[in-house]
Amino acid sequence: MTSKPEQLNWSASLRIAHPSPSASKGLQGDKILLPQSALEQLLARAPSTFTSSTSHTFTAFDPFSPYAVSDARRERAQYRETSQQLPHPLMFQLVNQKNGNSVYAGIREFSANEDEVALSPYLIDALGIQHEDIQQEPTFEDEVVDLTDDEPTKTEELRITVKARQLPKGTYVRLRPLEAGYNPDDWKSLLERQLRANFTTLTKDSILSVHGVKGEEFRFLVDKFLPEGSGICVVDTDLEVDIEPLNEEQARETLRQIAAQSQRAPGTDPGTSIGHTIDIWKQVDGQVLDGDYADYDLPSWDKSRPVAIELTIHGDHEVDLFVSPKSNRQRALPRDTEHVFGDFSSPKDGLKRIVIQPTNPELEGAEALLVSVHGFCLPDKDAVGSVPAKYTLRAKAVDAQGSVTAPIDLSSSAPKSTTEEQCRNCHQMVPKQTIVLHENFCLRNNIVCPQCKSVFQKKSAEWEAHWHCPVHPEAYGSSMLSRSKHDYVQHTAHTCTACGPSSPFTFPSLPELARHATTNCPHKLILCQFCHLEVPQEGDPLDPSSEAETVLSGLTAHERADGGRTTDCHLCGSIVRLRDMAAHVAHHELDKARKPKPELCRGELCGRTLHGIGPRGQVNGGTQMGQGPGNSLGLCSLCFAPLYVNMHDPEGKALRRRIERRYLAQLTVGCGKKWCQNEWCKTGRANRGLEALGTSVSTALPLVKPLLEAITDHSQRMHFCVDEASQRRKKTAEMLAAEGVWDLEWCTAAMEAEGGNLSKARGWLADWAPTKVHK
């Protein structure tokens, strides 16, 4: 029967670390950072388990000798093992000494400064800590002491009591939404992911916040636990989550809003159009509600020409266009806070156009273009009941300015008509006979904007609402909505919800926030080239060395960590880190380019190399292992075997006679093999349908004599019969060489190394053989 683990009796009073990114390290959920000394104190308070052995490690032991017994005791005391086990997971109770608020937390790591505790935003809110309660990072002015002041004022710093506390595993939790209208389809999966990734404990009566994919925030009250208590542990347990409204009125309002949303769901007549795949040949008509997105993807286009994404807006609606290339470095759908190319403008003619040049570095490795149409809605405006905006979307290839198909027109504009004259007020062309009447009427009723030259009727609503941005001269409009939109997009501070509410991650405009989200945001989704999963890229955007390493290596922080795993090189068997494998294989490619061609057996039909191939593509591998040809004729060991005789023959006369007898035997008798294709063999000629060269020794001898004289000339082939497998490998190697990728020598070596298997031979060639260099 196992006993209940002892509770750690540890507590400390610590001051709150300043919530800067360097101090808090992006803490989420209920995580805290403690100093290194806290870990040492916890280990000292942890229950200890002693493991000792009564056996003696030395051989000569006399139990009757007092010296031997004392030595044995001293040895056992010296090598006694002590194991200190901390409970898993470690949990703590935090108490605000100022207001008495209490909350439970889990530990992330022991890397905080001494006498400090770093808290996540969730814990800061739960403890009721205000911004002025947190001690600011000291500056030089703060360290200056006024020696003339007899009683210098000291600000009392807020301290948090941190107690080690083990909570029971939770089996049930009830959450109550703080607002009506929460649709479980919007937040259920997000809640499960957040609890799994960022929480160790849950505290009763605390507020749990879940951020949605559209920037919305869902807030829940933690209301009830099983087992009952003030807190539970949510790690390594099956937790049942129940959602109940705060009261009946909230429940009715939630059902009403969900029903209204279902009637305006994507795909319905009053709802947003469902996105799909588009092409460059056909335009797409659709509609989008305020605050919604219609997502499309363009999988193929002419990547040698610029591509234009055009959006035509029908009616007076504010609709935005966002585009992001889908590649290993960009995986998220385009949104107003995360996009590569975007257009927030309010065009007068309702036409928006984004042109992406083929040389744009963002298109490197792009497998598709993700296009999103967004119905703009101010954050403080309720989008329920809005009329969907109609639009037409078109993707098409365009010609680059200055190309042959789109030359630059340097000629002057067409000459004006001699019967027309330009109005000095509205700059329109008017017939000369009516120019006086037109100008009088125009000056009396119309007014021209001096900046954009647009013409408006005096005292009209459009002229009253017409505006120009003093910071962005290209931005102007003629409605209050367009001005409010411009102020919100370009002149309102926006914070990255993933990085936290700290000042380094607050940006003065939405385009700058989107640039951060698609470049150095640690939470930007990428497709890891090592684990092949969509994961955050991680890293510290405030660390210049980390950013420099990302640029130089081309690997994100996650890939650098994941690429630290090792694997065996499939070519040489060396143990290599995954992130270094590309450079390692590139060295193999350089080695291949310097490899000499393997020498082939001199036999006309032999499909072997002269010196053999090693197990890892080594040229002359057989000779290096002591299995060389063993002759000066240029024949492989198998072709020379029938000619070998163990006798002293310094001048080679006996060898010459053996070669002569073999040629005569082939021409007069034949080898008798049905697969033989040797032209200097009676059987081979019969198999090929050729006439016999010599039927007797006397007729064959003059034919053999030139072959004997060419024995010492290695450029001349020798015509001996070979086995069927070697002959087949020779034919297959010639077919491979005819493809023009590899030389015949390498194709023959591949067939020999892989035993005549064509598919394996192609793999061998790709691994070990250099390709032909076409001049």
Side-chain angles (χ1 to χ4, degrees):
M1 181 176 179
T2 60
S3 60
K4 184 178 180 180
E6 298 182 21
Q7 293 284 341
L8 286 178
N9 186 15
W10 176 86
S11 65
S13 178
L14 305 174
R15 58 188 177 90
I16 305 173
H18 187 268
S20 62
S22 58
S24 61
K25 296 185 178 181
L27 290 175
Q28 299 291 332
D30 68 340
K31 303 301 182 183
I32 63 173
L33 299 181
L34 290 176
Q36 179 68 27
S37 59
L39 176 60
E40 298 173 358
Q41 297 171 11
L42 286 168
L43 288 173
R45 300 292 181 90
S48 301
T49 302
F50 300 101
T51 303
S52 60
S53 175
T54 58
S55 61
H56 308 288
T57 58
F58 48 91
T59 55
F61 174 71
D62 184 5
F64 300 101
S65 172
Y67 302 101
V69 172
S70 62
D71 290 341
R73 290 174 178 173
R74 188 163 50 252
E75 182 191 21
R76 287 197 299 268
Q78 182 179 359
Y79 293 98
R80 183 175 58 179
E81 296 181 357
T82 303
S83 62
Q84 295 168 312
Q85 297 180 355
L86 291 175
H88 175 76
L90 273 176
M91 290 169 280
F92 300 90
Q93 184 181 14
L94 311 181
V95 180
N96 188 342
Q97 298 179 2
K98 184 176 181 180
N99 56 21
N101 288 3
S102 174
V103 67
Y104 295 101
I107 184 68
R108 178 175 175 180
E109 56 187 46
F110 294 89
S111 60
N113 296 329
E114 288 300 322
D115 198 37
E116 286 187 352
V117 55
L119 306 178
S120 65
Y122 161 79
L123 296 176
I124 292 177
D125 293 339
L127 291 172
I129 300 174
Q130 304 299 324
H131 181 72
E132 56 270 12
D133 295 334
I134 302 176
Q135 184 179 9
Q136 302 297 319
E137 294 181 344
T139 60
F140 178 76
E141 290 78 4
D142 297 334
E143 297 177 0
V144 177
V145 179
D146 187 4
L147 299 179
T148 62
D149 191 358
D150 296 335
E151 296 181 358
T153 59
K154 294 184 179 179
T155 59
E156 182 180 357
E157 60 181 9
L158 177 63
R159 302 187 74 86
I160 297 297
T161 301
V162 183
K163 302 178 182 178
R165 177 77 180 274
Q166 296 306 115
L167 297 175
K169 302 282 187 182
T171 59
Y172 171 84
V173 59
R174 183 173 66 190
L175 304 179
R176 293 185 183 271
L178 295 184
E179 298 176 7
Y182 287 180
N183 192 338
D185 295 337
D186 297 333
W187 52 260
K188 187 174 182 180
S189 59
L190 298 174
L191 175 63
E192 294 176 356
R193 186 189 310 169
Q194 182 162 333
L195 287 177
R196 188 183 306 111
N198 301 322
F199 281 85
T200 303
T201 66
L202 283 180
T203 305
K204 190 175 181 181
D205 297 332
S206 62
I207 305 299
L208 188 63
S209 298
V210 180
H211 294 280
V213 295
K214 298 181 181 179
E216 67 273 27
E217 183 181 17
F218 304 100
R219 302 173 70 243
F220 300 92
L221 173 66
V222 182
D223 183 56
K224 182 180 179 181
F225 292 136
L226 284 181
E228 295 183 355
S230 58
I232 58 171
C233 173
V234 296
V235 176
D236 298 333
T237 181
D238 293 331
L239 185 65
E240 179 184 354
V241 181
D242 191 12
I243 309 295
E244 292 186 7
L246 284 174
N247 47 52
E248 293 184 3
E249 182 180 354
Q250 186 192 76
R252 287 193 296 268
E253 178 64 19
T254 299
L255 291 177
R256 188 191 66 79
Q257 294 187 18
I258 292 177
Q261 292 176 3
S262 63
Q263 294 178 359
R264 301 167 62 85
T268 59
D269 292 338
T272 301
S273 300
I274 298 177
H276 52 80
T277 301
I278 61 176
D279 53 46
I280 61 174
W281 312 109
K282 185 179 179 181
Q283 66 182 22
V284 176
D285 295 325
Q287 61 184 22
V288 61
L289 290 171
D290 292 347
D292 281 357
Y293 292 87
D295 300 314
Y296 302 89
D297 66 286
L298 178 65
S300 61
W301 70 96
D302 188 355
K303 297 184 179 181
S304 63
R305 300 170 59 189
V307 59
I309 311 297
E310 295 182 350
L311 178 69
T312 304
I313 307 168
H314 308 297
D316 297 331
H317 293 274
E318 289 293 339
V319 180
D320 299 322
L321 178 63
F322 307 121
V323 180
S324 290
K326 184 179 182 181
S327 63
N328 292 343
R329 290 294 175 264
Q330 300 288 346
R331 307 299 294 182
L333 292 173
R335 293 295 180 259
D336 57 350
T337 59
E338 184 176 6
H339 60 268
V340 179
F341 308 100
D343 189 347
F344 287 99
S345 64
S346 303
K348 186 176 181 181
D349 57 356
L351 176 63
K352 293 190 175 187
R353 195 168 191 253
I354 296 177
V355 179
I356 307 174
Q357 299 295 331
T359 56
N360 195 304
E362 296 290 348
L363 292 183
E364 183 179 357
E367 59 190 64
L369 288 180
L370 304 177
V371 183
S372 293
V373 179
H374 174 227
F376 178 79
C377 180
L378 291 171
D380 56 352
K381 179 184 177 182
D382 189 4
V384 178
S386 62
V387 179
K390 306 285 185 178
Y391 63 84
T392 300
L393 182 66
R394 174 71 187 273
K396 62 181 180 180
V398 296
D399 295 314
Q401 187 71 17
S403 63
V404 177
T405 55
I408 300 176
D409 187 9
L410 299 179
S411 62
S412 59
S413 59
K416 301 176 182 178
S417 174
T418 57
T419 61
E420 293 182 344
E421 188 174 345
Q422 189 177 37
C423 175
R424 290 173 298 175
N425 187 44
C426 64
H427 304 291
Q428 291 184 353
M429 300 303 298
V430 182
K432 286 184 176 181
Q433 58 270 24
T434 60
I435 187 63
V436 177
L437 293 176
H438 173 83
E439 285 186 347
N440 292 335
F441 179 85
C442 188
L443 290 171
R444 191 167 55 250
N445 295 280
N446 297 333
I447 189 171
V448 180
C449 176
Q451 292 181 273
C452 62
K453 306 303 179 184
S454 299
V455 181
F456 300 91
Q457 289 185 358
K458 293 181 179 180
K459 298 182 180 180
S460 64
E462 289 186 353
W463 172 245
E464 295 293 335
H466 188 66
W467 60 273
H468 280 267
C469 178
V471 181
H472 306 89
E474 72 282 358
Y476 63 91
S478 301
S479 66
M480 294 303 298
L481 178 59
S482 62
R483 183 166 190 170
S484 300
K485 174 186 176 181
H486 177 78
D487 291 340
Y488 172 76
V489 172
Q490 299 291 349
H491 303 292
T492 302
H494 299 272
T495 302
C496 178
T497 57
C499 296
S502 56
S503 57
F505 302 108
T506 299
F507 302 90
S509 65
L510 265 181
E512 293 192 29
L513 173 59
R515 189 179 303 111
H516 160 77
T518 55
T519 52
N520 59 358
C521 179
H523 298 270
K524 185 186 81 169
L525 287 181
I526 63 166
L527 182 63
C528 178
Q529 57 181 296
F530 302 121
C531 62
H532 307 290
L533 298 174
E534 290 189 1
V535 293
Q537 66 174 355
E538 301 176 1
D540 186 1
L542 302 180
D543 184 7
S545 61
S546 176
E547 293 300 304
E549 189 173 0
T550 298
V551 174
L552 293 176
S553 65
L555 301 175
T556 63
H558 170 85
E559 289 176 322
R560 292 197 296 271
D562 196 28
R565 296 182 288 119
T566 58
T567 186
D568 294 339
C569 175
H570 68 287
L571 298 177
C572 62
S574 302
I575 299 177
V576 185
R577 291 186 300 184
L578 291 176
R579 66 186 185 192
D580 299 331
M581 184 60 71
H584 180 78
V585 174
H587 281 85
H588 281 299
E589 293 296 325
L590 294 176
D591 293 340
K592 288 196 306 185
R594 297 193 297 264
K595 270 188 176 182
K597 294 181 182 179
E599 297 182 47
L600 299 183
C601 176
R602 194 175 166 188
E604 177 69 23
L605 298 178
C606 181
R608 303 183 185 90
T609 57
L610 181 60
H611 299 283
I613 297 296
R616 295 192 180 275
Q618 303 97 325
V619 178
N620 304 335
T623 301
Q624 293 174 3
M625 293 186 295
Q627 300 177 2
N631 65 91
S632 60
L633 297 178
L635 295 175
C636 66
S637 57
L638 293 181
C639 290
F640 182 72
L643 303 175
Y644 174 76
V645 174
N646 188 12
M647 62 179 296
H648 183 66
D649 186 20
E651 298 180 0
K653 293 181 180 180
L655 177 61
R656 182 184 178 93
R657 289 195 297 270
R658 290 195 296 274
I659 294 175
E660 180 182 14
R661 286 197 299 270
R662 184 169 182 186
Y663 273 136
L664 292 174
Q666 287 182 175
L667 289 174
T668 57
V669 181
C671 64
K673 305 298 184 183
K674 60 182 180 179
W675 63 78
C676 182
Q677 297 292 316
N678 189 1
E679 293 184 0
W680 292 86
C681 173
K682 183 177 181 180
T683 306
R685 295 186 68 86
N687 293 337
R688 300 179 63 175
L690 302 177
E691 184 181 355
L693 287 177
T695 57
S696 63
V697 175
S698 58
T699 57
L701 191 59
L703 301 175
V704 174
K705 187 175 181 180
L707 300 180
L708 297 177
E709 295 175 352
I711 289 178
T712 57
D713 186 3
H714 285 207
S715 63
Q716 300 294 323
R717 291 291 185 179
M718 301 187 74
H719 306 274
F720 296 136
C721 297
V722 296
D723 58 281
E724 183 182 10
S726 180
Q727 182 175 282
R728 188 183 299 112
R729 287 200 298 267
K730 177 73 173 182
K731 295 294 183 182
T732 308
E734 292 175 348
M735 293 171 56
L736 275 174
E739 296 178 359
V741 182
W742 298 282
D743 292 318
L744 176 62
E745 292 83 354
W746 290 109
C747 295
T748 304
M751 295 301 297
E752 179 184 6
E754 298 299 338
N757 189 308
L758 180 59
S759 61
K760 291 184 178 180
R762 291 185 184 274
W764 190 95
L765 288 169
D767 290 340
W768 304 109
T771 56
K772 279 186 176 181
V773 179
H774 299 282
K775 298 181 180 179

